[in-house]
Amino acid sequence: MDQLEKIQQLKKKRNAIILAHNYQRADVQDVADFVGDSFGLSQKAVASGAAVIVFCGVDFMAESAAVLNPDKIVLMPELSAQCPMAAMITPEALKLEKQKHPGAAVVCYVNTSAAVKAESDICCTSANAVKVVNSLDEQEIIFVPDRNLALYVAANTKKKIIPWGGYCPTHHLILPGDILLEKEEHPDAQVLVHPECRPDVVALADKVLSTAGMLKYATQSDAREFIIGTELGLLHRLRKENPQKKFYPATAYAVCPNMKMNTLGSIIRALEKNEHVIKVPENIRKKAKQALDRMLEAGRGD
Ligand code: 13P
Ligand code: SF4
């Protein structure tokens, strides 16, 4: 029996669903029941009737699925798939920041631990950050942990944004020179970039979108060519779903090693051995769930 057959058999046996982020390896994306951006994955985790969720992404995504689904088993095939940006803020540091700005609301990007979410008023993803910020009554917003996303929001809202200093090491590898070079080679291509990119890269974009936003835009647009400023895993779906269009990565260096840790083999092991079960302590889970629920109620922005 090959790996794909084995996975189908185990999924049936365990009443499991496989959720995968758009940056996963191509074969992991192809075996998943749903592939999406952080917002879509949070929605799917809630909507699924499965008993077991195998989450192929990074730590904070599996943790969010566990926060939203206390009655389901959430499995993370590779525990070492940790997002470095999420590790750039702790609940203790956020508490201190809140003391400095007592009138401010806290918006946390989903790329955070459940403990940081528990200290926040509402979560957001790259798909709805501006919408979430504008939905709040407060005029001052502490925005954690991604500085680039915070600056993008600040440029698109009237509210005062207090940014944290975190960043995504993978998106930081995309440089303005890379975009300019690709534009020279493909003058008719539209430039789509992720808001985790540096502000000088965002300034060169035709559109700033989440990964699912890029897929939707590229599919619906009349343009035939696109320069893509995000992690390379997204190119698999872009090309698969739009075979008549051309997609050029802004740089071949934009690989997230953490996102690439899950494999077909680790999915099989996860389902066979029930590894690794992600659990969040109940006091943290309840508070983090409030922040995630508020975000899901606010909806997707693009
Ligand atoms: P989205 O797919 O939500 O745009 O997120 C990008 C990302 O970096 C996830 O880690
Ligand atoms: Fe974290 Fe960046 Fe990797 Fe996303 S792409 S998981 S933000 S390091």
Side-chain angles (χ1 to χ4, degrees), residues 246-260:
K246 289 206 159 32
F247 299 96
Y248 312 108
T251 167
Y253 291 103
V255 176
C256 174
N258 310 286
M259 281 283 184
K260 297 293 188 271

Side-chain angles (χ1 to χ4, degrees), residues 87-116:
M88 291 178 188
I89 184 158
T90 61
E92 293 75 23
L94 178 53
K95 274 185 205 162
L96 288 176
E97 189 69 5
K98 280 162 66 170
Q99 280 168 20
K100 284 194 226 158
H101 308 281
V106 179
V107 175
C108 80
Y109 192 26
V110 283
N111 299 40
T112 42
S113 66
V116 167

Side-chain angles (χ1 to χ4, degrees), residues 123-135:
C123 296
C124 73
T125 74
S126 55
N128 65 4
V130 175
K131 186 176 184 177
V132 162
V133 163
N134 286 338
S135 75

